[in-house]
Amino acid sequence: MNSVKIKGEVIFVDEVKEFGANNFRKQTVVINTGDDRWDNPIPVEFKKDHIEKSSALKEGQQVEIEGCVDGREWTGNDGVKKWFVNVSGLDVNYLSDSPTADTAPATAAEEQPDHEVEDTSPTADDDDEIPF
């Protein structure tokens, strides 16, 4: 088993889904691990008993997810082999309970520019001469 830690902001929390006669359950959570310039969304699947670890996740929270990377091979009807990688969530460490400052709405003071623009439009006192 290959262990992995994924640290970032929760950007999507899917509902818990059940499959098959055995009621196999899974929940997909997407964590953005990118920076201000590039997004890097990583889907993480919480399965079976590990769903309880993801049940309190909300969009905007900063988290670190401990998990494992699973790979599998699949051969299609056309005989072509394909490989898939999946990240399975095992535990969640909450780094914040509320949305990050980047996703929180800006206040009126933050929306004001940090510089002043001087009005240089002509006034009635200016000469009416054209400079060319």
Side-chain angles (χ1 to χ4, degrees), residues 2-124:
N2 296 308
S3 298
V4 65
K5 288 187 180 185
I6 298 172
K7 188 175 182 179
E9 178 184 352
V10 178
I11 59 172
F12 177 75
V13 179
D14 201 3
E15 62 188 39
V16 175
K17 296 183 179 177
E18 291 189 18
F19 301 93
N22 294 333
N23 294 327
F24 173 80
R25 299 180 327 144
K26 78 172 186 175
Q27 180 179 31
T28 301
V29 176
V30 181
I31 309 300
N32 184 14
T33 62
D35 56 20
D36 291 337
R37 187 169 179 199
W38 304 104
D39 289 338
N40 189 26
I42 308 279
V44 179
E45 291 183 345
F46 287 85
K47 302 171 193 167
K48 301 178 185 178
D49 297 334
H50 297 288
I51 290 176
E52 284 74 29
K53 306 278 183 159
S54 65
S55 63
L57 286 172
K58 296 182 181 91
E59 291 179 13
Q61 289 177 315
Q62 292 291 320
V63 296
E64 180 180 73
I65 294 180
E66 296 177 28
C68 63
V69 178
D70 304 314
R72 61 186 173 96
E73 182 180 292
W74 179 76
T75 304
N77 292 335
D78 57 0
V80 176
K81 287 185 180 181
K82 296 182 181 182
W83 292 268
F84 297 92
V85 174
N86 184 55
V87 178
S88 297
L90 302 175
D91 200 5
V92 177
N93 298 312
Y94 294 89
L95 305 175
S96 77
D97 290 331
S98 61
T100 64
D102 292 342
T103 60
T107 63
E110 291 173 339
E111 292 175 358
Q112 296 297 320
D114 60 351
H115 62 279
E116 292 184 27
V117 177
E118 182 180 341
D119 184 6
T120 59
S121 59
T123 63

Side-chain angles (χ1 to χ4, degrees), residues 117-132:
V117 177
E118 182 180 341
D119 184 6
T120 59
S121 59
T123 63
D125 297 337
D126 291 339
D127 293 330
D128 287 335
E129 295 181 18
I130 299 177
F132 51 88

